[in-house]
C-alpha cells in the first residue's frame, strides 16, 4: 500500500545520477542496486517512493540502504587504515598523553621526515579528538592512538587495535 501523496513525487533518472557521479560497478564496493538507492536518497526521494519505482518493498529499500551505508563506512575505514599504514610519518600516542602535546609530536616527526602538514595546532587537536572518538576525553588520551601523516600532508588517526 502506498503512502498518501507520494505517488506524485518525481523520481530522478537514476542512470543519469549514477553516470554524473561516475559510478563504475566493477570498481565499487557497492552493488548497482545499493548505488541506485543511495543516489535517490541523496536526492531526497523517500524510501516508499523508491520501493514503488523499483518494484519492491520499503523494508527492502531500507535494508539495501543500510547495507550500502555500511559498505561505504567499511571502504572509508579501509582507506584510512591503508593511509595510516603507508604514511611516511607515524606516531604512537600512548594512553595518558595530553592532547595538547600531540601537535608538537606531529610537527617534529613531519620536520624529520620532510613532510609538510598544513594544519594549525588547534586543527590537529580537533582532527585527533574527532577521529579518536571515546579514546579522547577532554585533553586526556584514554587509549593508545596512532597518528599518521601522508606524504601529501593528510592526517590519519587510528585507535590502537587492542582497544577497539
Amino acid at each position: 500500500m502506498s503512502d498518501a501523496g507520494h505517488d506524485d513525487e518525481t523520481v530522478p533518472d537514476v542512470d543519469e545520477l549514477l553516470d554524473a557521479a561516475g559510478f563504475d560497478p566493477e570498481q565499487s564496493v557497492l552493488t548497482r542496486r545499493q548505488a541506485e538507492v543511495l543516489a535517490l536518497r541523496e536526492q531526497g526521494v523517500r524510501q516508499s517512493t523508491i520501493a514503488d519505482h523499483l518494484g519492491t518493498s520499503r523494508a527492502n529499500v531500507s535494508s539495501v540502504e543500510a547495507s550500502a551505508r555500511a559498505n561505504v563506512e567499511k571502504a572509508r575505514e579501509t582507506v584510512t587504515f591503508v593511509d595510516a599504514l603507508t604514511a611516511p610519518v607515524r606516531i604512537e600516542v600512548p594512553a595518558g598523553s595530553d592532547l595538547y602535546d600531540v601537535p608538537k609530536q606531529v610537527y617534529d616527526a613531519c620536520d624529520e621526515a620532510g613532510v609538510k602538514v598544513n594544519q594549525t595546532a588547534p586543527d590537529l587537536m580537533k582532527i585527533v579528538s574527532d577521529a579518536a572518538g571515546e579514546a579522547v576525553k577532554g585533553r586526556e588520551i584514554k587509549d593508545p592512538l596512532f597518528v599518521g601523516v601522508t606524504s601529501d600532508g593528510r592526517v590519519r588517526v587510528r585507535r590502537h587495535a587492542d582497544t577497539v
Side-chain angles (χ1 to χ4, degrees):
M1 182 179 246
S2 299
D3 294 338
H6 84 78
D7 292 328
D8 296 337
E9 188 173 6
T10 303
V11 177
D13 184 312
V14 73
D15 290 327
E16 286 180 12
L17 291 174
L18 295 181
D19 287 346
F23 177 71
D24 180 352
E26 297 298 318
Q27 299 296 317
S28 180
V29 297
L30 299 177
T31 66
R32 177 161 178 89
R33 181 56 57 103
Q34 288 172 336
E36 289 171 347
V37 168
L38 281 184
L40 292 171
R41 293 290 287 149
E42 291 301 315
Q43 294 295 310
V45 180
R46 290 186 296 249
Q47 286 181 340
S48 56
T49 302
I50 295 169
D52 287 348
H53 182 72
L54 298 176
T56 189
S57 68
R58 194 215 53 80
N60 184 51
V61 170
S62 178
S63 176
V64 169
E65 181 179 358
S67 293
R69 293 195 187 281
N71 286 349
V72 168
E73 189 53 39
K74 284 180 184 178
R76 284 187 180 129
E77 170 63 20
T78 300
V79 169
T80 299
F81 165 73
V82 171
D83 279 352
L85 186 66
T86 61
V89 175
R90 292 183 291 237
I91 303 157
E92 186 166 350
V93 182
S97 296
D98 187 332
L99 179 62
Y100 282 40
D101 293 336
V102 173
K104 181 176 179 350
Q105 292 174 306
V106 170
Y107 294 143
D108 289 350
C110 286
D111 286 347
E112 189 175 309
V115 172
K116 183 168 175 51
V117 62
N118 294 321
Q119 283 80 19
T120 64
D123 289 341
L124 271 174
M125 288 186 291
K126 179 164 178 29
I127 289 167
V128 170
S129 181
D130 288 351
E134 294 177 7
V136 175
K137 294 284 186 208
R139 288 178 51 171
E140 184 182 356
I141 308 293
K142 294 286 194 181
D143 297 324
L145 301 174
F146 294 107
V147 178
V149 182
T150 63
S151 56
D152 62 355
R154 289 177 289 137
V155 177
R156 296 293 189 233
V157 179
R158 310 272 310 142
R159 290 176 73 173
H160 194 284
D162 292 342
T163 59
V164 176

